[in-house]
Amino acid sequence: MLRPLAVTALVAFCVAAPLTGSAQAAAPVAMTVTSPSSGGSATSGGFAASGARVIYGFAWADGKGVLRVRPLKATLHPKGGPPRYTFAPIAGAKEKRVAYARADVRRVTSACGLKETEGVVKVDAKGLGTTRCKPADLTFALGLGPTPVRISLGATTRVYEVLAMPGSPKTAYGTIKRVNDTTVMFTRGGKSTKLGYTGLSFSRTTRSCGAAWAADRHNAQKNGLGHKYCSTADFTKALRSAKRPVAVRIDYTPLSGQLNQVWETSAR
């Protein structure tokens, strides 16, 4: 599920760029940012106090006043619309936790409390949000879903919202295990991936949405997939009842780490 913010702001330049007839309209600037190495705890991410370190990626809420982010390679695209970024994985990059309770926060919206840009994008030439906001406003933004950001860690933590597409979704079978009420661990072929969710589609095999996980197969299709539509809250409640990893089919976005849809199913 894309954040409305990304859709509103980015559709405009994705459509407009081909109309310019210029090969340069969508050409990226030859500038990439490499994230720091792994390690560290919340607050400054474990980096040296001298000099700022920069992380790009999709931020997720990870407790009161703390976010988590897996560093990504960032490429700036300044033409064909408002400056924006494309992100790409960094081999071996480890997730960071950053405390932002005292951070300098800037959003890309014209006002701090907006869910969408509403056609007005506030970014500088480097694609960084310019609307000065409070840490509570970042908490609000994180509550909407994965938030593309540039984080500068130094004497002052600075969190800039940026424009970036979340990446292409994939569908896969595997198992999931609850981490907390907004995070799961998805395992397939011996490889585990942490995924977050704020809103998702949940298709159940059970007669009722409030039943324990895989309590019955009243609404199972021949292929084993559930087809009873239920809510995000039903998913969270059902997963709490599971004492071990459960078999699922999921739709997810690997780059942003977002869980979009879950089908309850029998083991494959």
Side-chain angles (χ1 to χ4, degrees):
M1 183 179 297
L2 290 178
R3 286 185 60 191
L5 177 63
V7 175
T8 302
L10 295 177
V11 166
F13 73 69
C14 288
V15 173
L19 299 180
T20 64
S22 169
Q24 295 180 339
V29 170
M31 182 199 85
T32 58
V33 180
T34 303
S35 69
S37 60
S38 63
S41 58
T43 64
S44 65
F47 304 125
S50 60
R53 300 296 179 91
V54 173
I55 301 173
Y56 286 83
F58 291 95
W60 286 89
D62 196 39
K64 185 176 181 180
V66 179
L67 61 80
R68 62 178 176 86
V69 58
R70 185 177 298 278
L72 297 171
K73 180 180 178 181
T75 302
L76 176 64
H77 300 258
K79 299 181 182 296
R84 75 283 185 195
Y85 288 86
T86 53
F87 290 158
I90 298 174
K94 303 296 184 181
E95 185 178 272
K96 313 293 182 183
R97 296 183 74 243
V98 178
Y100 63 85
R102 297 183 179 179
D104 179 358
V105 176
R106 310 294 174 93
R107 294 203 63 200
V108 301
T109 51
S110 59
C112 294
L114 293 179
K115 293 182 178 180
E116 303 179 17
T117 60
E118 299 182 355
V120 179
V121 178
K122 296 291 186 178
V123 295
D124 62 18
K126 295 182 179 179
L128 307 181
T130 59
T131 300
R132 188 183 296 273
C133 298
K134 298 178 180 179
D137 299 312
L138 177 56
T139 299
F140 166 74
L142 293 172
L144 301 175
T147 303
V149 294
R150 176 190 189 272
I151 302 174
S152 174
L153 298 170
T156 299
T157 298
R158 305 181 189 279
V159 182
Y160 299 89
E161 196 174 29
V162 300
L163 297 175
M165 292 300 285
S168 301
K170 292 185 177 181
T171 301
Y173 284 90
T175 63
I176 55 172
K177 181 180 180 180
R178 178 182 179 272
V179 175
N180 55 42
D181 284 349
T182 59
T183 314
V184 303
M185 194 66 72
F186 174 66
T187 301
R188 181 189 185 194
K191 182 179 179 180
S192 296
T193 304
K194 184 183 287 186
L195 300 173
Y197 66 94
T198 50
L200 53 74
S201 297
F202 183 35
S203 299
R204 303 215 61 184
T205 63
T206 55
R207 181 184 297 272
S208 69
C209 288
W213 194 278
D216 59 72
R217 294 178 53 81
H218 182 82
N219 282 298
Q221 302 176 83
K222 291 183 178 179
N223 60 6
L225 298 179
H227 66 88
K228 180 177 178 61
Y229 177 77
C230 298
S231 70
T232 303
D234 295 322
F235 171 74
T236 299
K237 179 181 177 182
L239 199 56
R240 284 181 194 159
S241 73
K243 304 303 181 183
R244 59 181 61 85
V246 292
V248 292
R249 180 190 183 198
I250 67 168
D251 178 280
Y252 70 111
T253 308
L255 190 62
S256 64
Q258 183 166 22
L259 183 61
N260 306 312
Q261 187 167 3
V262 177
W263 290 265
E264 189 176 37
T265 185
S266 57
R268 290 175 59 88

